[in-house]
Amino acid sequence: PLVSDAGTTGIYSPVFGGNITMENCRIQGFAKLIDSVSQGGYYFKFYNCKFTSADVLLSAISSNNISFFGCAFSDFNSGIQSFGGSGGPMSFFGCAIEAWSGVFISPISGGKLQLVMEGCYVENYPATVTTGTGLNPMTAAFLTAGEFLSISFIGNNIQCAGIRRVLYSTNTVESVVVSEGNIFYVNKTASASTTESLYAIAGGVSFSVMDTVMHLADSGGSYTTEISVSNSVKNIFGVNPLTNKALSTAWVQITPDTYWTNTGNVGFPTLACKVENGLLHLQGTVTCSNVAGTSIGTIPAGVLAKLNTSSLYLYGLIANSNDNDVRRYRILVSSGIILVDTPQVGFWDIIPTPWPINS
């Protein structure tokens, strides 16, 4: 039965430096299946084991060289709460992780762990749990949350509300993220927050991402992730480690200058810019009401700061489809002002022209 008996512990391991090896075992039904009591045990190895029906699967266990091979984890509130470990690895190979309500892996204090997961199947979904079992309804769960040294995900199939990489409040991993060949199935309403992302990668972090994401539509729309559905990197907000300049940003809105407005028609983009994969992009469908409007708008300072070019201007074209007129515009690099040569009253489309930013 899905029962977690309050106050009980299955295996109690209070010895400093101790280790546990388990093969072909099943442990279930305790508040804590295994409790290392923050004593820093290491070299824990588990082979073909089943951990299920608990409040916490492994509590205060060291992150220093702990490995799971072909193990199954299911029906729990919290998964593995690691303690200490001095940056040691915690590894999962060919495991199955299903049906939980909180966070599966959460470093609680001490050294940051190196998380490795290869060839695993992960599935979490809303479920009804009988009152009094000690288990919470399995909704809004996350695979990871806490302080990590590095994360390496290779060839996993992951279906859950979201995955957080969190360095306390800054949403980062300290050094490295490698995520390749994974398939993610994500949706919005099962998430604790619609702003959670699969990866929040910040400055100074080396990363390599090549995954597929399948968006599950629901009443709230598709869950917006930071990886494209076509096996290519999209909107990964990373930083060039050599220059410390962002490689990508989200679309940033530009306020039109005097005599210019966003057209506002359904399906037409507003005036905006972004940096993606080292290229500056500008988009918008705008209306000019007076030939005195020599500037359309200004690239925001946050985007402008990412430019690293010796050019005085970046050049592009705007087109008026009603009379087949085309005009040139120039972005003054020093200030970000978007200037128009011989402005004309009418309805104009900015022709997409990405510029390398040499970041």
Side-chain angles (χ1 to χ4, degrees), residues 254 257 260 271 282 291-299 312-318 327-344 350 355:
I254 298 174
D257 282 347
W260 290 88
L271 187 61
L282 185 67
V291 295
T294 56
S295 64
I296 300 176
T298 301
I299 302 291
L312 179 62
Y313 294 102
L314 300 176
Y315 294 94
L317 297 173
I318 57 174
R327 303 293 170 105
R328 186 180 72 169
Y329 68 85
R330 298 168 291 150
I331 300 175
L332 181 58
V333 173
S334 61
S335 64
I337 297 175
I338 307 168
L339 300 168
V340 181
D341 293 346
T342 58
Q344 181 68 34
I350 294 175
W355 301 273

Side-chain angles (χ1 to χ4, degrees), residues 100-116:
W100 72 98
S101 62
V103 178
F104 178 56
I105 303 170
S106 55
I108 55 177
S109 63
K112 311 171 188 67
L113 66 87
Q114 296 173 269
L115 176 60
V116 179

Side-chain angles (χ1 to χ4, degrees), residues 135-147:
L135 298 179
N136 299 325
M138 294 155 193
T139 59
F142 290 89
L143 189 59
T144 67
E147 187 175 27

